[in-house]
């Protein structure tokens, strides 16, 4: 008589699988899910979300949006020149930030520097990122006066905080093999970064920079509210004068400029990466 076959439940493979599945549900994970649920409920109440009111008052919003049409392009030449200034502000704010973010991101990476350098650098980036561009614009308007230069400086500081964090995360996710190989040759720390780190992170750095450029053009479009130059000055004045048809024309120009920048960014990204 043949020996009794082994039960599927008691087979080593099944037991290993069940043990693995059991590890997926732990007390810490359950507590984390509960904490997230509590945070979502609390933030829902604090935010006073009421989508029913939005539906009930939708007619008011429709009437308000109708006042924006038809757009008034009578000053299109002025809008175009101011939009060019806005794009220039975004370009230089992003370029300066990208240059400064490279060394800061290395100093903020756990796999490249000791913790006594990493933590202070990260806190500096946190401060630069936490403060909105408009607040920085107010500070720089006092320092350098009204105009686009104050806008460029405010975008530069805030964007440095954003790109520094993104760049450092890219550095921390690199493969250590190339860096270890370069280190084994007796190369300096700077050479390790140039030849072992930068080639690995350059595609991500490029994508992050191009995206922030697009974002900075949008941000620059409202810095004129505090006198930092660009199309935001006209946008603020048109809102203040209830000239909503001119506001609509300015918004259309900004949307067109953003779309063009997006297309050009995609081509540049494909060419560089």
């Amino acid at each position: 008589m043949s020996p009794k076959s082994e039960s599927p439940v008691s087979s080593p493979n099944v037991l290993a699988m069940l043990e693995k599945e059991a590890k997926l549900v732990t007390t810490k994970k359950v507590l984390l899910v509960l904490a997230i649920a509590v945070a979502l409920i609390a933030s829902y109440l604090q935010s006073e979300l009421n989508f029913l009111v939005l539906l009930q008052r939708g007619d008011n919003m429709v009437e308000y949006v109708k006042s924006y049409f038809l757009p008034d392009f009578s000053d299109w030449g002025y809008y175009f020149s101011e939009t060019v200034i806005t794009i220039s502000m975004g370009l230089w704010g992003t370029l300066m930030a990208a240059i400064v973010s490279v060394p800061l991101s290395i100093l903020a990476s756990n796999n490249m520097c000791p913790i006594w350098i990493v933590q202070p650098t990260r806190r500096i980036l946190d401060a630069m990122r936490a403060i909105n561009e408009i607040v920085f614009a107010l500070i720089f308007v006092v320092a350098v006066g009204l105009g686009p230069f104050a806008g460029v400086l405010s975008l530069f500081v805030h964007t440095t905080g954003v790109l520094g964090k993104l760049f450092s995360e890219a550095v921390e996710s690199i493969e250590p093999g190339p860096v270890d190989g370069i280190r084994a040759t007796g190369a300096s720390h700077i050479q390790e970064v140039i030849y072992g780190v930068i080639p690995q992170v350059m595609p991500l750095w490029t994508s992050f920079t191009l995206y922030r450029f697009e974002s900075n053009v949008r941000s620059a479009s409202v810095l004129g509210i505090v006198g930092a130059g660009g199309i935001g000055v006209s946008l603020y004045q048109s809102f203040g004068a209830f000239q909503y048809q001119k506001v609509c024309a300015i918004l259309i120009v900004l949307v067109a400029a953003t779309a063009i920048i997006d297309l050009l960014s995609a081509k540049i990204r494909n060419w560089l990466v």
Side-chain angles (χ1 to χ4, degrees), residues 244-268:
Y244 296 130
Q245 293 178 334
K246 289 188 175 182
V247 171
C248 183
I250 294 172
L251 294 178
I252 290 174
V253 171
L254 286 174
V255 170
T258 302
I260 293 171
I261 291 171
D262 180 56
L263 292 173
L264 293 176
S265 297
K267 290 186 178 295
I268 294 173

Side-chain angles (χ1 to χ4, degrees), residues 97 100-101 104 121-122 124-130 136 155-168 212:
V100 175
S101 295
L104 288 178
T121 305
R122 287 189 174 184
I124 292 172
L125 294 176
D126 289 344
M128 299 169 81
R129 187 172 62 255
F136 282 124
L155 291 173
F156 157 63
V157 176
H158 180 77
T159 305
T160 299
V162 176
L163 288 182
K165 175 178 174 60
L166 295 175
F167 283 9
S168 67
R212 283 306 306 181

Side-chain angles (χ1 to χ4, degrees), residues 13-125:
N13 292 335
V14 174
L15 291 174
M17 185 179 299
L18 291 174
E19 184 180 354
K20 184 178 180 181
E21 291 292 330
K23 291 180 180 179
L24 295 178
V25 181
T26 62
T27 304
K28 287 185 178 180
K29 291 182 179 179
V30 171
L31 292 176
L32 177 61
V33 171
L34 291 175
I36 293 173
V38 171
L40 288 174
I41 294 172
S43 60
Y44 176 87
L45 297 174
Q46 292 292 327
S47 301
E48 299 181 0
L49 297 181
N50 192 338
F51 297 104
L52 183 60
V53 172
L54 179 62
L55 295 175
Q56 291 173 343
R57 300 179 183 178
D59 293 340
N60 296 336
M61 186 170 58
V62 171
E63 290 299 321
Y64 176 70
V65 172
K66 284 183 178 178
S67 64
Y68 280 68
F69 296 93
L70 293 169
D72 182 4
F73 284 99
S74 58
D75 296 327
W76 69 269
Y78 177 73
Y79 298 155
F80 177 79
S81 63
E82 290 298 300
T83 301
V84 171
I85 294 175
T86 301
I87 294 173
S88 300
M89 291 166 57
L91 176 63
W92 275 98
T94 307
L95 178 61
M96 292 164 59
I99 293 172
V100 175
S101 295
V102 171
L104 288 178
S105 66
I106 300 299
L107 297 176
S109 301
N110 283 314
N111 58 340
M112 300 303 297
C113 292
I115 192 170
W116 56 270
I117 293 178
V118 171
Q119 290 302 320
T121 305
R122 287 189 174 184
R123 301 296 77 81
I124 292 172
L125 294 176

